[in-house]
Amino acid sequence: MAILSADAGYLTQHARCGSSSITNNEWSAIMHVFKRFLASCLLTVTAFTGVASAAEPELSVQLWSVKDDLTEDFKGTLESLADMGFDAVEFAGNFGPYADNPAGLKAYLADIGLEASGAHVGFDQLSDDKLYQTIAFYQALGADYLVVPWDGRATKPEQVGELAAQLNEVAGKLAPYGLLTGYHNHAPEFDAYKGSTFWDFIASNTDDRVIMQLDAGWATVAGKDAAAYIRKYPGRTLATHIKAGLPEGTTGKKTILGQDVADWAAVVTAASEVGGTQWLVVEQEEYPEGMTPLQSVEASVDGLREIMANM
């Protein structure tokens, strides 16, 4: 997929279909459909074998990382991220001047070499009274993965079952439209529950089509092996959050990928070989002293690329 993405600019300029050139937006649409097809094939293979085939994930960035910059200068911030070489962005509720024009936003992203890898979407936007409006918006934007970023029920013994049931219900409603839902963890989801953890309970009580968007940074903070958790649930980590998280008491390290404590080579390998990961989503929630959010994101993605180049 990364090779296809790298060749997109060349093919856009030189490919011909009959006598007409393929435009940037047409190429983006072709690639989007192709990726959706590959993802559906992967889920089918995983369902029968329990093992996801290896693939090279592409790089996205969670826009919460630069939320203030995005508010101040929406387009400038996205263009800065594009200049860093990201393939996509994961939205977190801020659509700038395109709040009522998802198709326009998709076209703008294509023009600067990006696409929408997915979005963080709360259950409030997936409720019956808003569901079809949400579906229409994200279909027009081209974002297939609608992941719930947090829910207080996830760490409450008397309510976590209700959360799992709602994820299954939403997954069923989204499926006919080619969309997937999922859940994203913080550290408390790894607290002990019923002989394992709340995260394990959610994974074990939801359909295989529900994405378990592991935030490897929070797993590290919780003292867990992120790579082992990816391998535990084959094909369910379609979008993995790659974030530097430092357990309490850590000294001499920074919240920058490659300067932290996590074994990112093991995480990326597990994501590629077993997790079915289409997107490695870089996220930055802490900014080392003297660094802006954009500088921190750039340092982290550069660190991740260096790790991946040496694998």
Side-chain angles (χ1 to χ4, degrees), residues 225-228 230-231 262-273 307 311:
D225 183 338
I230 292 171
R231 292 185 180 278
D263 184 350
W264 290 113
V267 171
V268 172
T269 298
S272 300
E273 292 181 350
I307 292 165
M311 287 172 55

Side-chain angles (χ1 to χ4, degrees), residues 98-112:
Y98 297 97
D100 298 316
N101 184 14
L105 178 52
K106 180 180 179 180
Y108 168 69
L109 290 175
D111 285 343
I112 61 174

